[in-house]
Amino acid sequence: MAKPVPVLPDDGGPGPSALADAWVAAIEARSFVSAARADLHAVLSGAAWWFTAVVEGRAEETMAEEVGAELVAAHLTDPAALRCSIDVLSEHFAEHTLDPERWSVPDFFDAGLGCQVGYFPES
């Protein structure tokens, strides 16, 4: 990631570790990814940590844009990978109430995944 990512606690709860695990499993099940599982997990763990920090207000929204760029750099740009990302993030953050002064759900996805959505406008 663009910034150092702290070691994720493995508390089994609905935090970034659980998000990363679910995201990796979804990508591996529904999409072809040429990266090794460890590399995919490293990218998605960092993305999960930063997306969670943004949603919880611990990081600025511009970080979501950087995370989206990292997902593109990791070649997670095919329609199946994009669909997995949207599905997993939507499910994981369904219970969160975003601060309406900072975000709406479409804004969150536009910032974090906008570069992927623009890559496949028909998706």
Side-chain angles (χ1 to χ4, degrees):
M1 301 299 342
K3 301 198 185 267
V5 177
V7 174
L8 301 176
D10 188 12
D11 60 7
S17 293
L19 172 56
D21 292 343
W23 203 349
V24 169
I27 293 285
E28 287 182 328
R30 292 174 28 193
S31 175
F32 172 76
V33 178
S34 61
R37 187 177 207 287
D39 294 336
L40 178 63
H41 197 273
V43 169
L44 295 181
S45 289
W49 195 92
W50 286 111
F51 275 144
T52 300
V54 169
V55 168
E56 293 176 352
R58 295 180 288 115
E60 293 301 316
E61 61 191 59
T62 56
M63 194 62 218
E65 294 171 8
E66 290 184 40
V67 171
E70 292 290 327
L71 296 175
V72 170
H75 304 288
L76 296 172
T77 54
D78 68 77
L82 178 58
R83 179 82 261 158
C84 287
S85 296
I86 291 171
D87 289 349
V88 170
L89 291 169
S90 295
E91 182 176 328
H92 183 79
F93 292 114
E95 300 297 318
H96 282 348
T97 302
L98 298 176
D99 178 353
E101 295 295 317
R102 293 184 68 208
W103 291 103
S104 68
V105 172
D107 291 341
F108 177 73
F109 285 112
D110 285 348
L113 298 172
C115 51
Q116 288 189 17
V117 173
Y119 190 81
F120 292 100
E122 69 279 0
S123 297

